[in-house]
Amino acid sequence: MNVLFVASECAPFVKTGGLADVVGALPKALAASGVAVRILLPAYPALAPVVAQGREVYASSGSAFGPLRVVAARSAELDLLLLDAPQLFARPGNPYLEGPGRDYPDNHLRFGALSHVGAILAREGVDGFLPDILHAHDWQAGLAPAYLALTPGRSVTSVITIHNIAFQGVFGAHLLPQLELPLQGFNVDGFEYYGNFSFLKAGVVYADRITTVSPTYARELTDPAFGFGFEGIVAARRGRLSGILNGVDLDVWNPAKDPDLVKCYTGAAPTKRVANRAALEARFGLSLAPDAPLFCVVSRLTRQKGIDLLVDVLPRLVARGAGLVVLGSGDMDLEVRLRAAAAAWPERIGVELGYDEPLSHLMQGGADSIIIPSRFEPCGLTQLYGLRYGCLPLVARTGGLADTVIDGNSVALASGVATGFQFAPVTAAALGDAIDRACDVFADKKAWRTMMTNAMRQRVGWDKSAAQYRNLYESALQEAAAPRD
Ligand code: ADP
Ligand code: GLC
């Protein structure tokens, strides 16, 4: 089976978050189950060296998007199709923003072109590869199912995965004529959205299947508290919606051979992690008692991630003798508050503002627990890395966090199955209580060690979820092939 991924990020080339990790890892897991994936990705400057080694497999000069060409190349074990259109993508830095908090004004054209070319390649095939399925990821690829449904040509089954429904790709209706999209779709049952149009709505309405990245988030999506206005649109297609958990690239995230750790270790001897913790403390200038836990955060610093709740409980965390190291960037007010906390408690709290992949590995390998207080979390990957590294996740009970962590309540502790801590409701008070509970368990070395071993034993790889994607592709193809009554 051949599947064309259409996506705006892919690790290790371009990454702003978990979407990139998924797009970079799932194709490898699918290959192992007989599904061949090619990934259509914008040729951002970071991909220039890969473009230089590739060969042109598609070119068009006559579209509304300006000259477009696609270069095929294999790199990092992935088969890439790079959309080379310098007028749209030859811009360094963040793939979506021209400055802090400011989207590029032509994002509709940039990702309209990506979706448009995705539909063409899916339909016509490329480089000897004829896709059975087009699999669009997030709003940036959301128009691809609409192009397939509304323009003439070979019919191709489409799937869209919603990685985060808060991002909907909404643009003014006056921009629509620039996109070569049939205007018949501009209505309430199509991509029209309160007088504007939405890339994500187009994907949800026109794709044959809709997936999201955890079973709990799939349920939450039809709830007004989580749907960001899309709850009705998703509910109308409930029968086509499913939740499939993300996994971890076990080669990239492996504490037994991770070059970014000071000391590698396995679940058989997780206490070797202390060398990594010492390195972390030194790097951040902390000085903690060995019997006090070191918490960490690796995250976008935004309201979604509940970082404000964590800042609110820092006096409580410090009063327990615990420490905290934070790696992230995002909202200015949160950055300012975190910096102030590090200045107030320099031996307990360390903050690094920025993006640092190697440091994120050392934090998972050295901190005792990773705190993820998200208000909503479609799946979340850092708690999965935490499980794999024995950095016990302390998480809000929502979305994929609820689906992947076994709370260390008294029953789970007594029966030895706990892998972390969950809290609800998502408030500072409940987070503070969970931090207290974690500190209590940390004081019991045996109990904590059992939790680390359990956590590291969890199957967080992609194999099970890749099989679910394969089944989903098969059932969508069977349905498309069945005669309609
Ligand atoms: P989201 O995609 O919503 O940001 P995820 O948990 O799915 O959340 O994925 C976040 C990914 O980005 C993880 O791989 C995490 O390790 C990484 N990450 C987030 N912030 C940073 C940072 N400042 N430095 C390095 N990696 C980061
Ligand atoms: C989004 C979500 C995150 C998820 C990631 C990959 O960024 O916020 O929860 O893990 O996509 O699916």
Side-chain angles (χ1 to χ4, degrees):
M1 187 191 307
N2 291 339
V3 178
L4 177 68
F5 272 28
V6 183
S8 58
E9 297 184 25
C10 177
F13 310 106
V14 193
K15 169 168 166 179
T16 71
L19 168 65
D21 290 349
V22 172
V23 173
L26 177 55
K28 291 186 253 175
L30 282 169
S33 66
V35 178
V37 177
R38 301 227 182 165
I39 307 167
L40 177 66
L41 191 68
Y44 306 109
L47 281 146
V50 184
V51 171
Q53 286 166 16
R55 50 183 206 295
E56 185 174 299
V57 290
Y58 171 85
S60 110
S61 52
S63 85
F65 306 100
L68 303 171
R69 68 179 201 126
V70 174
V71 170
R74 185 163 168 86
S75 184
E77 294 174 60
L78 299 168
D79 289 308
L80 304 173
L81 295 165
L82 301 167
L83 177 54
D84 188 25
Q87 72 279 15
L88 301 174
F89 300 118
R91 305 173 196 180
N94 184 291
Y96 315 117
L97 306 177
E98 62 176 359
R102 284 201 326 275
D103 288 347
Y104 282 116
D106 58 348
N107 273 350
H108 63 293
L109 283 176
R110 302 172 76 226
F111 300 107
L114 179 72
S115 301
H116 178 69
V117 172
I120 292 173
L121 300 188
R123 213 171 237 160
E124 297 176 0
V126 59
D127 194 25
F129 179 84
L130 188 65
D132 301 293
I133 302 259
L134 179 150
H135 187 159
H137 292 270
D138 265 353
W139 76 262
Q140 291 86 352
L143 289 189
Y147 283 116
L148 283 176
L150 299 175
T151 59
R154 185 175 82 97
S155 113
V156 178
T157 298
S158 61
V159 175
I160 185 161
T161 295
I162 302 172
H163 294 265
N164 191 335
I165 207 153
F167 301 108
Q168 304 174 342
V170 177
F171 298 93
H174 63 286
L175 299 173
L176 253 185
Q178 301 177 12
L179 295 180
E180 294 192 1
L181 196 60
L183 291 178
Q184 84 217 53
F186 187 68
N187 64 68
V188 68
D189 298 319
F191 44 72
E192 186 269 347
Y193 190 59
Y194 294 108
N196 299 313
F197 72 102
S198 158
F199 276 52
L200 186 66
K201 186 177 175 201
V204 171
V205 168
Y206 292 108
D208 296 289
R209 288 285 193 285
I210 304 150
T211 75
T212 188
V213 288
S214 70
T216 294
Y217 195 60
R219 284 192 298 277
E220 289 171 344
L221 281 180
T222 55
D223 174 343
F226 292 95
F228 283 85
F230 264 52
E231 52 277 3
I233 297 162
V234 176
R237 302 221 60 210
R238 196 180 260 131
R240 292 284 175 271
L241 170 70
S242 53
I244 301 178
L245 271 179
N246 288 336
V248 165
D249 187 327
L250 299 177
D251 295 328
V252 177
W253 294 93
N254 180 1
K257 41 179 187 193
D258 185 330
D260 298 319
L261 299 186
V262 170
K263 179 98 189 158
C264 290
Y265 59 93
T266 64
T271 44
K272 287 191 183 157
R273 310 172 82 259
V274 291
N276 299 317
R277 173 168 151 171
L280 258 189
E281 287 189 35
R283 174 161 180 162
F284 283 91
L286 303 193
S287 157
L288 281 188
D291 59 354
L294 175 62
F295 293 96
C296 76
V297 168
V298 179
S299 181
R300 293 186 285 120
L301 304 176
T302 64
R303 207 183 130 74
Q304 173 194 343
K305 301 291 180 178
I307 303 301
D308 51 319
L309 306 176
L310 179 62
V311 176
D312 288 345
V313 300
L314 288 180
R316 242 174 117 174
L317 183 147
V318 170
R320 284 294 309 238
L324 171 72
V325 285
V326 179
L327 168 63
S329 63
D331 295 353
M332 185 88 86
D333 58 321
L334 294 170
E335 293 190 355
V336 167
R337 291 181 70 197
L338 283 167
R339 258 211 214 99
W345 295 291
E347 298 199 329
R348 296 298 189 72
I349 297 182
V351 174
E352 184 141 330
L353 299 176
Y355 194 90
D356 188 333
E357 196 82 27
L359 179 58
S360 75
H361 284 242
L362 182 63
M363 289 173 80
Q364 297 278 8
D368 299 298
S369 169
I370 181 161
I371 300 182
I372 311 170
S374 307
R375 289 191 166 83
F376 65 95
E377 194 61 75
C379 180
L381 291 170
T382 57
Q383 84 279 15
L384 301 179
Y385 304 146
L387 290 170
R388 178 122 166 99
Y389 278 63
C391 181
L392 302 185
L394 189 159
V395 304
R397 185 176 302 138
T398 186
L401 301 174
D403 292 338
T404 52
V405 176
I406 303 174
D407 178 52
N409 58 37
S410 53
V411 185
L413 284 172
S415 48
V417 297
T419 62
F421 302 90
Q422 292 194 353
F423 66 92
V426 188
T427 59
L431 168 60
D433 291 346
I435 289 172
D436 270 340
R437 282 201 289 138
C439 290
D440 290 343
V441 179
F442 191 77
D444 178 347
K445 290 286 157 245
K446 198 163 155 251
W448 192 270
R449 199 191 149 129
T450 304
M451 284 183 76
M452 281 198 287
T453 311
N454 283 341
M456 293 183 73
R457 240 193 248 134
Q458 300 298 304
R459 286 186 52 190
V460 292
W462 268 107
D463 49 348
K464 197 169 146 212
S465 298
Q468 289 178 298
Y469 276 108
R470 197 203 149 97
N471 290 343
L472 177 111
Y473 296 148
E474 274 170 354
S475 92
L477 287 174
Q478 271 163 18
E479 187 180 288
R484 296 180 194 244
D485 7 279

